[in-house]
Amino acid sequence: MKNGPASLSFFGPQRPTDIVFKCQDREYPAHRAIGSTSNVCTITAFDSSTVEVMLYFMYFGEYYLVKLKSEEIPNRWGSMAKLEPGNCSGVLVEDALPRHLKINAIANHLNVTSLQRRSREKIHRIMQQRWNAKSFPKFVERALRETSDLELRDILAHTAAVHIAELYTIPEFFTIIDSCGFFSKVAQCCAERMHASEKAEQLLYPSRKRRRLDEEL
């Protein structure tokens, strides 16, 4: 499936469609994505709201977590085309991360790499701006289970390394990363941070290193 907004074109009642995405009890007529060989794409591993967000991204090159009332859903495509970030309903951070993870998972599943990248960016930004040590272990466990996006795993490992002193006080975290085979990646990131810190210290304080060597001699 080709990436980005160019792979689908905006459709309306006046324009014929040649592919239908089916999910749960909903059907989404669209224009054929480059590389698709079927007129029907049935998605069973994800819910319809996740499919809608993916399709919206493929038309407009961006996605937002929008809360809609049930009566608005049938006309969602018409209303979503006019949405701007400031018009989106508020979504709690604890709800946002799992939803972004679902977007990442469906993008990984269907190989929509531009959507994978955008979902990673949103997840990373939330972790930087709204860090929560208590919820992080469970999110890591869920992410390792739901998506095989290696770059997202790198982000999680680097985030863990940055906050390792705080996470060290949460036994649950080490149980999770050990059971998921994630420990070695976190350890590598911690080692890289230590090496970078030592290198920076040598560049900033070269005389300190020489003095330390003189004392050892």
Side-chain angles (χ1 to χ4, degrees):
M1 186 177 292
K2 189 176 178 180
N3 304 322
S7 58
L8 293 174
S9 302
F10 180 76
F11 65 90
Q14 73 281 9
R15 301 186 62 182
T17 59
D18 51 16
I19 186 171
V20 175
F21 289 87
K22 292 185 176 183
C23 181
Q24 295 179 320
D25 59 345
R26 299 188 181 280
E27 295 186 357
Y28 304 94
H31 294 98
R32 185 184 304 277
I34 301 301
S36 176
T37 59
S38 174
N39 292 330
V40 177
C41 179
T42 302
I43 300 174
T44 59
F46 302 92
D47 57 36
S48 58
S49 62
T50 302
V51 172
E52 290 173 9
V53 173
M54 178 194 70
L55 292 175
Y56 177 79
F57 176 86
M58 295 183 72
Y59 275 95
F60 303 108
E62 180 57 290
Y63 77 90
Y64 312 108
L65 300 183
V66 186
K67 290 183 177 180
L68 294 177
K69 298 177 181 178
S70 58
E71 61 269 20
E72 294 177 317
I73 292 177
N75 299 317
R76 184 165 188 169
W77 284 109
S79 60
M80 287 187 75
K82 302 176 183 178
L83 283 174
E84 296 294 338
N87 296 332
C88 297
S89 301
V91 177
L92 296 175
V93 172
E94 54 266 32
D95 296 331
L97 277 174
R99 292 178 66 183
H100 285 308
L101 181 59
K102 285 185 178 181
I103 302 304
N104 179 273
I106 194 173
N108 181 72
H109 181 68
L110 296 177
N111 197 30
V112 187
T113 55
S114 56
L115 180 55
Q116 275 185 277
R117 181 172 59 251
R118 189 66 182 120
S119 62
R120 285 195 302 265
E121 292 171 350
K122 289 175 181 282
I123 290 171
H124 194 196
R125 185 169 67 247
I126 290 175
M127 289 187 173
Q128 288 179 316
Q129 297 176 352
R130 300 288 188 90
W131 165 252
N132 187 322
K134 292 183 178 179
S135 62
F136 183 74
K138 285 294 185 183
F139 181 75
V140 170
E141 182 181 34
R142 183 169 179 175
L144 296 177
R145 184 177 65 249
E146 293 186 6
T147 179
S148 58
D149 186 342
L150 297 180
E151 291 188 46
L152 178 59
R153 295 188 180 192
D154 286 343
I155 289 173
L156 296 177
H158 282 284
T159 301
V162 170
H163 299 280
I164 195 64
E166 189 175 2
L167 291 171
Y168 183 77
T169 65
I170 305 176
E172 178 187 19
F173 174 68
F174 291 95
T175 301
I176 289 172
I177 65 174
D178 186 50
S179 63
C180 297
F182 192 54
F183 183 83
S184 60
K185 185 63 181 176
V186 175
Q188 178 186 348
C189 291
C190 288
E192 290 173 353
R193 284 178 55 80
M194 290 176 63
H195 178 71
S197 177
E198 291 175 357
K199 189 174 182 179
E201 182 181 0
Q202 292 172 11
L203 292 173
L204 291 173
Y205 308 105
S207 60
R208 183 179 299 176
K209 181 183 178 183
R210 287 196 300 269
R211 187 166 58 250
R212 201 161 47 227
L213 289 173
D214 292 340
E215 291 173 354
E216 290 176 359
L217 293 175

